[in-house]
Amino acid sequence: MRLVRLAQQPSRVAEDVRAALASLGRGSTVVGGVALIGARPADERAVEAVIVMPKGVIIVIGVDLPDPALKLEAPLGGPWKADGWPLVHGDTSINPATDALSLSAACTHKIADVAPGAGPIGTIIAVGPYVETVDQPPSDLAGSVRVLYPTATTMLAATVSLATADRPRSVQQARELIAALAPDAPPMPEEMLLGEGFSAYSDEEPTIVRENPLVAIAPTVPVRHPGKAKRPAKPATPPAPPAKPVQPSAAPVKPVAPVRQAPLPVAAAAPAPAAQAPASASAESAPKAPHQSKTVKWLPLAAIGLLIVLLVAAITVASGGDDTASTQPPPPPTPATSSPPPSSSAVENIQFTSRASAADQKCASHAYGDVQASLQRTSCTTVKRASFASSIDGRAAAVTVAVVEFPDTALATAFKAAADTPGGGGILDLATETNQWQGDVPVFEGAAYQSSQDGNSVRLIQVVWVPGPSTPDDPGLVRGAKAALELPVNG
């Protein structure tokens, strides 16, 4: 799921909502969609989020409780209780979610107006500051409203249960809906929305448009084949061989045939007989047809003979090449010893072994947290990522490197400031994404972090122990992170 921050969220539990949505990751691997953080779909106060998903729309509204609770009884049409104590909100409210449900209804009507047939529209009432268990009656769970404390698990379960359309909405429909709900949202390219699970085509244009070009091409297929259809007519000339048994008196002529056949293989080397065969078959009389059929039979034999000569020559050359190669054993070891250096580098007495490297322009797709939001606002030109296995002070470590390039220095400086903010997110590790780690898969939590800027380019480094745990101020990890600033990353 992709996050787009539009405005400050109104409740205290909003930070937990944003963290839970960010934990779902990018793309459609889990649920997919675009979360509009701080949107105002009903032109009233901002909601925590409006999640436009391929198979539904979910409105997330925060409700702040007076204190944390272990158990919250939260019927939508009755009073709430926190650890057995009743909760009220205002003089006329049945429960703290009364106002939130009214706002949700207004948002639902607005979405239905701007996007008729938008699919299922659900509501999540996010309560906080902390609730261990939320007890919602089964009748409420059968509807389209969920009351929960926002965690990665509860948000995932709610989004899956509320977005239940039969078919995903198209990229164009998603763009129109996002533009109607959040006019200030940055435009999203088609590739980005396809990566979030939206369909490339709407329900109105399933296959008809695609089939028309094929129907136009189909008539051309038989038009090209009549030329080939004439080739079976050549076997029609071989019916002349049955004329042989009809002429028993022609048997003595067979000794003369080899005399005439002798020059024919020489003529077969020229391309003329292939072109003259149809003309001669139609112009000459029936007695000459047997000779032409014999030349046709000799053509493949001559070709096979030529191929045999070429094969013998090739084998002779190859065997000679093997002999010359065997007389010079030193050259092969040279390329063998020169291949490891591209995958292994040493910086400040620390050895780094490459595990994965790649480069593309999908900048925000490879980021998370505030770094992802920054790249969504001002996308980079290229992101190069690399993963290295290392050994620091005799202990195994993993290094992930990201080099992000921008059109100008000002954008690079702003991005580095966002990346350097603690808890601001970062760039995902390439080898973890592509399953290229050998042995234990590193977890980049508590990683030592370093960054540097060179003009329009920003380099981000994270280093952790394998296996962990790791701490950001570990001297060995910090030393490895500083050394990784000098690693070559080609992508």
Side-chain angles (χ1 to χ4, degrees), residues 169-224:
R169 72 180 74 247
S170 68
V171 169
Q172 183 61 30
Q173 291 171 339
R175 282 177 175 166
E176 294 174 354
L177 182 55
I178 292 172
L181 299 178
D184 298 335
M188 299 183 184
E190 181 178 1
E191 184 182 51
M192 181 186 299
L193 294 176
L194 290 175
E196 293 297 333
F198 295 101
S199 173
Y201 305 100
S202 62
D203 296 339
E204 291 78 9
E205 51 175 12
T207 55
I208 297 177
V209 175
R210 290 281 182 176
E211 289 178 357
N212 285 341
L214 297 181
V215 174
I217 293 173
T220 64
V221 176
V223 172
R224 296 178 181 177

Side-chain angles (χ1 to χ4, degrees), residues 11-414:
S11 65
R12 290 180 298 169
V13 76
E15 293 298 325
D16 295 329
V17 171
R18 184 164 64 88
L21 292 175
S23 68
L24 296 179
R26 56 172 181 76
S28 59
T29 304
V30 182
V31 288
V34 178
L36 306 172
I37 306 297
R40 297 176 181 270
D43 298 328
E44 298 181 11
R45 74 178 180 91
V47 298
E48 272 55 46
V50 176
I51 308 174
V52 180
M53 303 176 65
K55 295 187 177 183
V57 179
I58 299 177
I59 305 164
V60 184
I61 303 176
V63 172
D64 292 326
L65 303 179
D67 296 297
L70 295 177
K71 182 178 181 181
L72 176 66
E73 301 175 27
L76 298 178
W80 287 11
K81 292 182 180 181
D83 296 332
W85 294 89
L87 293 176
V88 294
H89 185 73
D91 298 333
T92 59
S93 299
I94 299 177
N95 56 54
T98 302
D99 296 339
L101 291 175
S102 300
L103 178 59
S104 171
C107 295
T108 301
H109 290 308
K110 175 63 179 295
I111 295 172
D113 290 340
V114 299
I121 303 175
T123 301
I124 294 177
I125 305 297
V127 296
Y130 173 77
V131 179
E132 182 175 336
T133 304
V134 177
D135 187 5
Q136 200 174 356
S139 58
D140 292 345
L141 292 174
S144 60
V145 180
R146 300 288 184 271
V147 181
L148 52 85
Y149 171 69
T151 64
T153 303
T154 57
M155 291 294 287
L156 174 60
T159 52
V160 171
S161 64
L162 293 176
T164 57
D166 295 333
R167 299 178 180 177
R169 72 180 74 247
S170 68
V171 169
Q172 183 61 30
Q173 291 171 339
R175 282 177 175 166
E176 294 174 354
L177 182 55
I178 292 172
L181 299 178
D184 298 335
M188 299 183 184
E190 181 178 1
E191 184 182 51
M192 181 186 299
L193 294 176
L194 290 175
E196 293 297 333
F198 295 101
S199 173
Y201 305 100
S202 62
D203 296 339
E204 291 78 9
E205 51 175 12
T207 55
I208 297 177
V209 175
R210 290 281 182 176
E211 289 178 357
N212 285 341
L214 297 181
V215 174
I217 293 173
T220 64
V221 176
V223 172
R224 296 178 181 177
H225 281 33
K228 294 183 178 180
K230 292 180 180 180
R231 292 184 181 177
K234 286 185 179 180
T237 56
K244 289 183 178 181
V246 179
Q247 299 176 357
S249 59
V253 185
K254 287 184 179 179
V256 183
V259 179
R260 295 184 180 180
Q261 296 287 348
L264 289 178
V266 179
Q276 295 173 355
S280 60
S282 59
E284 295 183 3
S285 59
K288 293 184 180 180
H291 298 294
Q292 291 176 356
S293 62
K294 291 180 181 180
T295 58
V296 173
K297 293 179 181 179
W298 274 94
L299 287 177
L301 295 177
I304 293 173
L306 181 60
L307 288 176
I308 293 174
V309 173
L310 293 176
L311 286 174
V312 172
I315 294 172
T316 304
V317 173
S319 62
D322 292 340
D323 295 338
T324 56
S326 61
T327 58
Q328 298 176 353
T334 304
T337 55
S338 61
S339 57
S343 62
S344 180
S345 303
V347 181
E348 296 185 5
N349 297 325
I350 299 178
Q351 193 73 18
F352 297 91
T353 303
S354 176
R355 287 288 179 259
S357 62
D360 56 48
Q361 297 178 346
K362 302 176 183 178
C363 306
S365 299
H366 301 310
Y368 60 92
D370 292 340
V371 171
Q372 184 186 56
S374 174
L375 291 174
Q376 287 173 345
R377 292 191 298 269
T378 56
S379 181
C380 68
T381 56
T382 305
V383 56
K384 300 177 181 179
R385 296 186 296 161
S387 304
F388 297 88
S390 181
S391 178
I392 305 174
D393 300 332
R395 186 174 177 184
V399 182
T400 180
V401 182
V403 180
V404 190
E405 298 177 357
F406 294 87
D408 55 63
T409 305
L411 294 177
T413 303

